[in-house]
Every structure is written in C-alpha cells, then in structure tokens.
Amino acid sequence: MAETFGIIDANNFYVSCERVFQPALETKPVVVLSNNDGNIIARSNEAKSLGITMGMPFFKAEPIIEKNDVTTFSSNYALYGDMSRRVMDTIDQFVPALEHYSIDEAFVHLDRKTSEQDAHKIRNTVKKWTGIPVSIGIAPTKVLAKIANSIAKKNPKAGGVIDLSGADADKYLKDFDVADIWGIGRRYAQFLKSEEKGNNPQLDLWEASGFERMREKLKIETALDLKNCDDKWLRKHLTVKGQRIAWELRGISCLPLELFEKPKKGLCCSRSFGQGIKTIEDLRQAVAMHAARAGEKLRRQNLAATHLTVFISTSSFRLNPDEIYSASASRQMLIPTSYSPAILENAYSLLERIYKPGFEYRKAGIFLSDITFDNAKQQSFFLKVDEKKQTGLMQAVDKINGRFGRHTVRPLAMGFDHKWKMKQEKLSSRYTTRLNEIPNVRA
DNA sequence: TCTGGGGTCCTAGGACCC
DNA sequence: TCTGGGGTCCTAGGACCC
C-alpha cells in the first residue's frame, strides 16, 4: 500500500527560538544573522514584509533595520540545536517513523486515514511543549509533501496543515512556481523557464525538411508543467534527479524516508575571520581551533579520518585581483585518526606549504575525508601508536568541554589573543544548555 | 568598512586494465 | 601500418539542500 508522507517544518525557526525566550518580540520584526554577523539567515514574517530577503548581507539590510526598529540576533547554534532536539523528540512520540532531515525539518510517515487530524495534534503539541510553531504538509511523496507544506505556510487559513493526498493536487500544482520545488534550484529554474531553440544540427535538418522544430527548451513555469514533462528530455537536461522529481509530482514515490543517519563522507570545519589577518602565527591559531573541533566532531560519532585538507583564502569580494589568493593542500595520514594533536600536527605542516605573506586572509579551514568507523579502522604496520593513552586523553578533554563549554581545554596552539575570532555582537544567551544562562522567571 | 558554514549527489572524461 | 570493445576507478565540476 502506498505510504503517506508528512513534512513538519518549523516556521522561521531561528527567529521562533529567540522569541520563545523573549515573548515580547512575538509580533515584532526580528532577524537572525549568519556567523560573523554577515548575512540575514532567518526572518520573521514582519521582517519579510519589510523587504528583507534571505541571505541579504547585513550591511545592506541595515538601513531598513534601523528605520523599522528590527530586532537583530547573532546566530546562537547552541540554543537552536537544543530546541531542535526538543521539537524532534516531541514529534517522535506521534509517528511510526521519522527522518531528521535538517535542524528544523522532519519527514515522517503518517497513517493515511487519520493523517490530517494527527498532523493537527502534532502541531498543537509541539507548540505547547516547545513554543515553536510548525507547518505540516501531507502527500503520497516527499516532493508533494514539501509543496503542501509551503502552501500551508503561505495560507493562514489552512491552519498550518495542507493535505495533498486527494485527487485534486493539480489544482495547486498549476499555480506553484517551478522554482519553488524542492530540488529545483536557481540554475534549473532559469533553464526550465527559458524558451530557446538551442543548436542541435539534427533538429536543423528536421526543421529544414518542413517539420515544426522540437524545442531544446520548453518554457516550463509551474509544478504542473514539470509533472507533465517528457521523461527523456528531463533526464537529459536535469539528470536522474530531475526525473525523480517529475515522478514524485505524479505521486510515484522515489525518495524513501531515510531512517538511519549515514556516516559522513567528509567533515569540514571552517570559518571566516572577524577581521583580515596577515601573519602565519594568527592563521596557525585558527587552524589549531579547527583541528580541535574536527577531532571532537569525529570522536562524537565514533569516526576516524585518513585524508586531511587545509585551505586558506582572502576575501573573494576584493576588486583588485592582486589581492586575491586562495590555496589548499592535502595529505593522506598514516592511519585513520580522531586524535586532535595528530590532526593538528599534519595541518600545521600543510599550512606552511600554502601560506604566502603579503595577503590579508579572511578565511581558513580544514576538511577531513576517507572517514571510517573508529572500531573498523586499519592499523599501520609501521606506526605504533599508544592508542589507549590517546583515547583516554581525548575522552577526558571531551568530557570537560562538554560540561564547562567548548574550548575549556584546548591546544595551547590556539593562543589567547584571537584577532580572528568571529563577530557575534548580538548574541542571545544559551538559555537551555548553560546553567548560568537559564532565564529567570518572576511569578 | 561590512557578504555564512556546513553538506549531498550526479555526470563526464581521463587513466588504466584486459 | 593498421586497429577494439569492454570494464573500473578516480577526479573535477556543477547542480542542489538547509
């Protein structure tokens, strides 16, 4: 029997998290900024209607923000991560299967007969227990459920839930912009909507012999257009992914629920700096921090990595090409490891290879790949490591940092005077994860 | 002055093997 | 001098997601 999918998606999630702890902001315009207070990454509906767009650089939005008294927050991932866990735990109690798709979205299976009532129950409970408002889309496939969800968000009358399982889905699809379909990005949307003949010599001949020419591009504007699109054409221009989307629009499920977290294939720690830095000493500190973070991430998932890449770059917004430089170097380590000092040592020597004086660097990072499970890793014949000691040391470090906050224990190499540290001028408290930042309530 | 930080999947093309 | 048809693996690049 066909399944029924639901997608449960928090409304303006980061903004909603902030509002839970500052209810006075409920009807006010609010935005949340990316790391380094660079771009706008979440907006309340009030902020959206002021014309603040997703991804807008903060300095460009600043005039609107000043003028309309928009409340602004630096991003507080400790808070959002914890709120996300609460939302997911709540949903989990109501559904037979849940895929934790992103920090603010879960795909679920629903009982077809009671899906709509169940959705309302989930929505109300999540709001009551966590304070976070969510919208729910229901449909026989994930792509359709995403569309239902997006319609639910835009129509206050829907009460936060739209069910597209009925036979009249086309009624919605014909008004749904192809650009807003899950899996269709800017490039594909532009391509689909264009109407050009392209340059196919075969078709030239065809046309020359008096037949009407088939178009290379088709002017596909809506979800309904894409649903009715020719499979071969789609496969050719949008690869199998495009074809799957069309099938999903037709109600044929191609994308199952992913119930188990797949082990990561690569792991990246990088950050741009609050200000430009020039010396290799400062870069070393930043790289040391990323090495420590990367080790921590690996250990938390019981993974180990063999391949290490270090990269540094200047700002890409520089106008003078002489001031732009970016480079990376990588190496295969001898054995898969999650031992921070080993990652650090390798990262340092890679950094030496790519550093060039005379540039103002804006970003550094490391990337780990060739990732295996820690207990399955292959030992090197040549390298004898006292693994027990290393594991013990890292466990102690992780435990202390978990209890007292990140970087309580850290490599000395990280230094103390962090010129490169990220800009976070409007950070809210970690209300839910730090005892000394728990809110006080006067009753 | 000021522009995020993670990830995934797919394909084409080259190198190499028999 | 001429000349084949398969396969695998790897990488780079391009698309997408939140």
Side-chain angles (χ1 to χ4, degrees):
Chain A
M1 193 176 93
E3 283 145 336
T4 295
F5 290 90
I7 173 91
I8 302 165
D9 184 338
N11 304 347
N12 316 327
F13 182 57
Y14 298 168
V15 166
S16 298
C17 289
E18 300 289 352
R19 277 176 167 170
V20 169
F21 297 93
Q22 295 194 35
L25 298 176
E26 205 53 57
T27 54
K28 306 260 168 58
V30 180
V31 296
V32 176
L33 305 177
S34 66
N35 283 328
N36 270 311
D37 294 347
N39 301 64
I40 310 272
I41 52 169
R43 307 153 299 153
S44 71
N45 291 344
E46 298 77 13
K48 285 176 191 170
S49 47
L50 289 171
I52 299 173
T53 57
M54 186 67 179
M56 197 181 226
F58 176 53
F59 73 92
K60 278 190 184 162
E62 218 166 0
I64 311 178
I65 287 173
E66 299 269 299
K67 194 176 152 206
N68 299 282
D69 205 15
V70 178
T71 307
T72 308
F73 291 96
S74 299
S75 41
N76 183 345
Y77 286 102
L79 175 64
Y80 311 150
D82 190 58
M83 292 302 286
S84 169
R85 186 186 52 75
R86 293 169 188 226
V87 170
M88 297 296 161
D89 286 352
T90 307
I91 298 169
D92 208 19
Q93 304 187 13
F94 292 89
V95 294
L98 178 147
E99 171 186 345
H100 188 157
Y101 175 67
S102 77
I103 192 161
D104 70 330
E105 287 166 274
F107 281 106
V108 297
H109 277 155
L110 292 168
D111 184 320
R112 180 151 49 164
K113 288 189 204 99
T114 57
S115 59
E116 216 169 324
Q117 295 141 257
D118 292 346
H120 282 289
K121 201 188 289 169
I122 292 171
R123 187 167 171 271
N124 295 336
T125 313
V126 170
K127 176 73 180 153
K128 194 149 115 198
W129 291 2
T130 70
I132 301 291
V134 299
S135 300
I136 305 183
I138 305 165
T141 71
K142 282 180 159 183
V143 168
L144 285 170
K146 277 283 228 179
I147 289 178
N149 183 287
S150 142
I151 295 169
K153 277 219 170 79
K154 281 174 206 144
N155 295 295
K157 271 185 279 174
V161 177
I162 289 267
D163 187 348
L164 234 49
S165 316
D168 57 349
D170 283 4
K171 178 178 91 187
Y172 291 100
L173 297 188
K174 80 173 176 13
D175 295 324
F176 197 85
D177 191 335
V178 75
D180 296 334
I181 298 174
W182 184 48
I184 303 294
R186 248 203 5 251
R187 290 313 254 286
Y188 281 164
Q190 202 185 2
F191 172 77
L192 287 167
K193 289 180 177 187
S194 65
E195 186 184 31
E196 286 168 27
K197 290 196 167 179
N199 54 350
N200 182 336
Q202 287 289 336
L203 297 181
D204 284 342
L205 286 174
W206 180 257
E207 192 177 34
S209 23
F211 293 96
E212 195 197 341
R213 176 171 181 161
M214 270 163 54
R215 281 179 305 224
E216 280 281 271
K217 304 184 182 178
L218 293 170
K219 210 168 168 56
I220 292 161
E221 305 266 5
T222 68
L224 187 60
D225 292 343
L226 189 65
K227 174 180 174 178
N228 294 328
C229 192
D230 178 64
D231 274 341
K232 280 208 199 82
W233 185 90
L234 262 181
R235 173 126 202 176
K236 180 176 161 208
H237 293 290
L238 269 66
T239 81
V240 283
K241 294 208 151 191
Q243 206 182 342
R244 282 195 200 119
I245 293 169
W247 282 47
E248 287 247 324
L249 286 173
R250 292 168 204 161
I252 302 160
S253 177
C254 308
L255 306 167
L257 227 51
E258 312 255 353
L259 297 178
F260 305 101
E261 202 177 333
K262 290 185 198 147
K264 298 242 180 296
K265 294 179 178 165
L267 189 155
C268 182
C269 292
S270 90
R271 196 123 306 176
S272 44
F273 310 129
Q275 53 175 295
I277 64 173
K278 294 187 167 167
T279 67
I280 192 163
E281 288 75 26
D282 286 333
L283 282 175
R284 275 204 201 102
Q285 291 186 3
V287 166
M289 177 184 71
H290 293 316
R293 278 284 293 137
E296 206 180 296
K297 281 188 190 176
L298 285 173
R299 293 190 298 272
R300 197 174 345 135
Q301 300 172 71
N302 293 318
L303 301 173
T306 312
H307 198 78
L308 170 68
T309 304
V310 174
F311 54 90
I312 52 177
S313 66
T314 58
S315 166
S316 51
F317 292 91
R318 293 257 166 189
L319 293 176
N320 182 353
D322 293 342
E323 294 177 348
I324 295 179
Y325 173 69
S326 76
S328 70
S330 56
R331 86 156 38 137
Q332 204 72 19
M333 297 184 287
L334 284 176
I335 50 161
T337 187
S338 63
Y339 185 55
S340 298
I343 298 170
L344 177 58
E345 195 186 324
N346 282 289
Y348 265 11
S349 69
L350 291 169
L351 176 64
E352 303 286 341
R353 278 190 2 216
I354 51 178
Y355 173 74
K356 272 201 214 166
F359 291 98
E360 193 179 298
Y361 293 93
R362 271 281 166 187
K363 190 175 190 171
I366 76 175
F367 181 73
L368 292 166
S369 53
D370 273 12
I371 293 182
T372 50
F373 281 110
D374 198 38
N375 55 15
K377 69 191 183 189
Q378 185 148 35
Q379 299 298 327
S380 165
F381 186 72
F382 302 104
L383 193 70
K384 291 274 174 272
V385 199
D386 187 347
E387 204 166 311
K388 230 180 198 157
K389 203 165 134 197
Q390 291 189 352
T391 312
L393 177 59
M394 289 298 105
Q395 273 171 356
V397 167
D398 292 340
K399 205 167 164 189
I400 293 171
N401 287 341
R403 175 127 181 233
F404 298 103
R406 187 175 290 162
H407 307 320
T408 304
V409 180
R410 60 190 174 188
L412 194 58
M414 262 178 70
F416 299 95
D417 164 34
H418 298 154
K419 284 197 206 57
W420 40 269
K421 82 163 187 277
M422 135 167 112
K423 207 158 88 182
Q424 278 187 314
E425 287 169 354
K426 307 153 198 299
L427 192 60
S428 53
S429 302
R430 291 166 290 184
Y431 305 104
T432 61
T433 55
R434 285 283 166 268
L435 270 177
N436 54 353
E437 295 178 19
I438 281 180
N440 295 312
V441 180
R442 272 199 309 255

